[in-house]
Amino acid sequence: MKINLAVLPGDGIGPEIVEEALRVTEAVCTKFGHDLSYEHALVGAIAIDTVGSPYPDSTHELCMNSDAVLFGAIGSPKYDNNPSAKVRPEQGLLAMRKKLGLYANMRPVTTFPALIHKSPLRADLVKGSDFVCIRELTGGIYFGRPQGRSEDGNTAYDTCVYTREEIERIVRLAYKTAEQRRKKLTVVDKANVLCTSRLWRQIAQEIEKDYPEVETEYMFVDNAAMKLIQAPNQFDVIVTENMFGDILTDEASVITGSLGMLPSASMGIHTSVFEPIHGSYPQAAGKNIANPLATILSAALMFELAFNLTEEGKLIREAVDASMAAGIVTEDIAGNGKAYKTTEVGKWILDYINKKK
Ligand code: IPM
Ligand code: MN
């Protein structure tokens, strides 16, 4: 198969972790006889500093012309501590999501036996947790207009907007995903307060009838935040709006032990994007200590979801599991054991894949 990738490393640790995921992708392509080509492009703070825009047109064009996008992370303290900055790196990510039509963000949460002791929760609560959060990614309060400040600067507002079409397509995707899993869907909203949430719930109730095999549960977001730490293994598929999904997935990501482990896929109308769920971790940039596993696992998701190449994805997962079992891990998950460098972990996984018959 011909595979043509856009590689967007972004800021902070982005370049280091994407490099490892790209090497792994290359090795898998060689092993399975795929014809891989790729091109790098700028996004985030580095793109602002270099060309003045966090998601330059040339980057968008490359993404549109690629089969998938491998993305690192964006964000820089230079902007975080400056609320009046006119252009922000995050705008690049939001523009990319909107322009590529990436309305569905899938964040699978699985437990790694080797990591359970790192979870802030008791092992008996976490054990067996395996769910996927499907977050709506191009609507809601992130994009609703009006948004801004009053003339005197002392009032600010954001607007949460959802249309029937936006809700229907994500809820259907969630049902289809649930059908292929354990057939349970949790629709998370705040229908006791918000109008947009009441529309979500109404539409989900309509669609529910088309998927009789799937058990649907409706849950308010505050309750969901609690249940996620109280009984994470009760979830199978969660679907929710943009902002709730942002918050719940950060919470969900640490349940299994480390934020450095979780991959994500953003899919929709044009090219899909695969990226770790963690941020640019600027304190670690250039130190060769960042955990590359979330990005390497994002490459696995890319093979599976963008190209329907399940064996390729499986081999990457197997290599990642093996590296953890062998204790070849970065400092965030090393505990009392030896902490390996980003490149050492990547190299170990690469060797595993190359040696595999
Ligand atoms: C995420 C991030 C982004 C978001 C930021 C960087 C804009 O937190 O992908 O979850 O809020 O969506
Ligand atoms: Mn987030």
Side-chain angles (χ1 to χ4, degrees):
M1 179 171 192
K2 257 190 151 41
I3 295 179
N4 176 21
L5 298 184
V7 180
L8 275 49
D11 304 320
I13 57 170
E16 296 161 63
I17 53 179
V18 163
E19 176 68 19
E20 299 311 317
L22 189 56
R23 296 282 90 86
V24 167
T25 302
E26 261 174 351
V28 168
C29 284
T30 306
K31 168 136 289 179
F32 287 86
H34 302 303
D35 180 6
L36 175 73
S37 57
Y38 57 85
E39 200 175 309
H40 285 75
L42 292 171
V43 71
I46 182 157
I48 301 179
D49 295 345
T50 323
V51 295
S53 156
Y55 184 57
D57 289 345
S58 54
T59 300
H60 179 59
E61 209 168 296
L62 176 71
C63 292
M64 288 295 283
N65 292 325
S66 303
D67 302 318
V69 179
L70 193 57
F71 192 97
I74 57 154
S76 152
K78 198 166 117 186
Y79 296 91
D80 289 347
N81 304 326
N82 178 10
S84 57
K86 287 244 151 37
V87 229
R88 312 181 54 82
E90 289 79 7
Q91 286 165 352
L93 186 57
L94 299 182
M96 181 181 77
R97 289 173 180 171
K98 198 73 178 177
K99 287 175 130 182
L100 292 177
L102 303 172
Y103 62 80
N105 181 223
M106 326 263 281
R107 296 184 165 180
V109 178
T110 44
T111 40
F112 299 88
L115 268 189
I116 278 206
H117 67 285
K118 293 284 291 182
S119 174
L121 302 181
R122 284 201 326 260
D124 62 304
L125 293 179
V126 181
K127 223 173 125 214
S129 295
D130 174 8
F131 57 92
V132 49
C133 288
I134 302 185
R135 166 188 175 192
E136 201 289 328
L137 203 59
T138 52
I141 201 163
Y142 272 59
F143 293 96
R145 295 291 180 269
Q147 174 190 71
R149 290 259 189 132
S150 63
E151 210 128 283
D152 70 2
N154 292 327
T155 306
Y157 44 88
D158 297 281
T159 309
C160 187
V161 182
Y162 268 109
T163 64
R164 169 173 284 275
E165 189 199 355
E166 286 173 322
I167 300 168
E168 270 182 14
R169 66 187 177 187
I170 190 90
V171 170
R172 282 201 187 276
L173 179 79
Y175 271 105
K176 286 190 190 117
T177 308
E179 266 185 333
Q180 284 161 25
R181 294 177 47 102
R182 299 193 308 277
K183 301 188 168 38
K184 180 173 173 196
L185 178 65
T186 307
V187 180
V188 173
D189 61 31
K190 187 75 186 171
N192 50 347
V193 177
L194 301 177
C195 257
T196 40
S197 281
R198 284 194 282 276
L199 184 60
W200 268 78
R201 196 172 279 216
Q202 178 196 323
I203 290 173
Q205 282 167 349
E206 291 166 20
I207 295 176
E208 184 183 343
K209 301 189 181 75
D210 296 341
Y211 299 88
E213 276 178 26
V214 177
E215 178 203 337
T216 310
E217 162 184 65
Y218 295 88
M219 199 179 274
F220 296 139
V221 62
D222 47 353
N223 188 22
M226 181 184 78
K227 290 273 165 54
L228 268 178
I229 53 168
Q230 210 176 39
N233 52 20
Q234 74 165 61
F235 293 102
D236 180 18
V237 179
I238 297 173
V239 67
T240 192
E241 63 106 72
N242 202 345
M243 172 96 120
F244 297 160
D246 178 46
I247 298 167
L248 291 181
T249 52
D250 257 39
E251 185 189 358
S253 71
V254 294
I255 290 172
T256 59
S258 173
L259 185 61
M261 294 299 303
L262 290 196
S264 83
S266 300
M267 316 182 67
I269 298 166
H270 303 289
T271 319
S272 300
V273 175
F274 299 86
E275 60 173 314
I277 98 145
H278 60 71
S280 58
Y281 192 16
Q283 307 87 317
K287 293 194 180 145
N288 200 15
I289 56 169
N291 186 347
L293 295 184
T295 319
I296 291 173
L297 288 167
S298 299
L301 272 184
M302 175 178 79
F303 280 107
E304 292 161 351
L305 298 176
F307 305 118
N308 219 353
L309 297 171
T310 45
E311 287 304 309
E312 286 79 343
K314 212 168 111 197
L315 176 56
I316 296 179
R317 289 177 199 288
E318 184 189 312
V320 166
D321 285 344
S323 73
M324 283 195 291
I328 314 298
V329 293
T330 42
E331 63 176 29
D332 55 314
I333 52 177
N336 296 326
K338 176 174 178 206
Y340 287 81
K341 298 288 180 194
T342 310
T343 45
E344 289 173 324
V345 173
K347 173 86 174 28
W348 195 95
I349 289 172
L350 208 60
D351 287 346
Y352 183 97
I353 290 170
N354 287 333
K355 278 192 214 130
K356 180 90 188 180
K357 284 206 292 12

